[in-house]
Amino acid sequence: MDASLLTIQPNLVEPIYRQIVEQLRRLIAGGQLAPGDPLPSVREVAGFHAINPMTVSRAYGMAETEGLLERQRGKGMVVAATRSAAQNQSQRLALLEPQLLELARHAGELELPADAVLRRLAKLLGD
Amino acid sequence: MNAVLRDETSDAPLSARDLRHDYAGTPVLDGVDLALAPGSVLGLIGRNGAGKSTLIRALLGLLAPRGGEARVFGEPALRLSDAAKARIAFVPQQPEALSWLTAQQMFDYVGRFYPRWDADFVRQTLSRWQIQPHRMLAKLSPGERQRVDLVRALASQPELLVLDEPAAALDPVARRELLREVAVRAGEAGTTVLFSTHIVSDLERVASDIAFLHQGRLLLHCAVDDTKERYARLWLPAKLAASAPSVALARRKHEDGSLSLVVERDALDRWPEAAALPGARVDALGLEDLFVEIAE
């Protein structure tokens, strides 16, 4: 993976370290990053995007805790080979909480009934 | 006495206790406490005239504050040893030193005083930052002059780098390059950086910590990421205005009686109770909005 694959938008409300974790999650989920793929070093990401290396370390650490990445001796961070989805499902859901709260609020402001929103959401989720 | 009690911040690259200063009776610094950990990048933000430059000068001992004390690498800022000075690089907003030299002469001259002078960096950066090496410094525009000084500061490979509004002198490409230098040096060489800026997105990129100088005090002195997650705007409709929390960083009453407050999570990560009332709204704030809310 190349550092340029990440997009950093400092002025978003979402902190940069979360932006990185969320993008890694999506890139892995979407298959653009395969198990075992090496990640760019903290230095490469920090240098390419001109962001603080501690922010990148924090993102990688969080992704590692979550089971998205693993540290491999001699290779640095790689995409985790086996992601135990069940074990981490509640953690992963917790990371969606801000977006869900936002969605709920917007739905409330639009005075949309819950079942209509849920039906649409289910469709988007491919159920 | 052999056992000496030291406080934690005594060897911090930069620290200050209860700094106070005023100009003609108008307080500029009203009890500023600060400590920079090694390798941290502190972005200092504040409105024009908030006293950012005064604070920086007081921190470095270039100005004697009316009260309090600043220390650099544990030494009193007003009586720095030459050894401590050699570890610092400071770029003021309007550099004036050695103005009778050309940029090239200045680099050749000052380079000799720095043990880790990086002449390659100077060579590589001069043309990229559009610096004319053979014109007299005094004849350069303020922006060109500050660029020269930025190159000088970075080439000395300091342990503590202090930049007063460095962004003003650079175009977006060069600015990004400067941020990259700052970020990578903080990460690799452990360079501690303090920079003041108006440009919030720069601060969000490279700063590990922010401090907001407002009415002589440092507000929101914490990690950048925490700032975005710890503070929010709480909006209460008029009928809930009486339930507003008594403590808020900013409070604005709107014409219809509704209230906007800037609130902070408590030690258990909870918003103030009023946030849970039906009709209340909590909105996350970007840093820029946060500053505007507080500074208005």
Side-chain angles (χ1 to χ4, degrees), chain B residues 232-246:
Chain B
R233 182 198 294 128
L234 169 63
W235 180 86
L236 296 169
K239 62 178 165 53
L240 292 179
S243 322
S246 55

Side-chain angles (χ1 to χ4, degrees), chain A residues 37-56:
Chain A
D37 278 358
L39 268 89
S41 67
V42 166
R43 183 194 196 279
E44 284 170 290
V45 177
F48 184 86
H49 293 285
I51 57 177
N52 194 294
M54 278 188 276
T55 308
V56 184

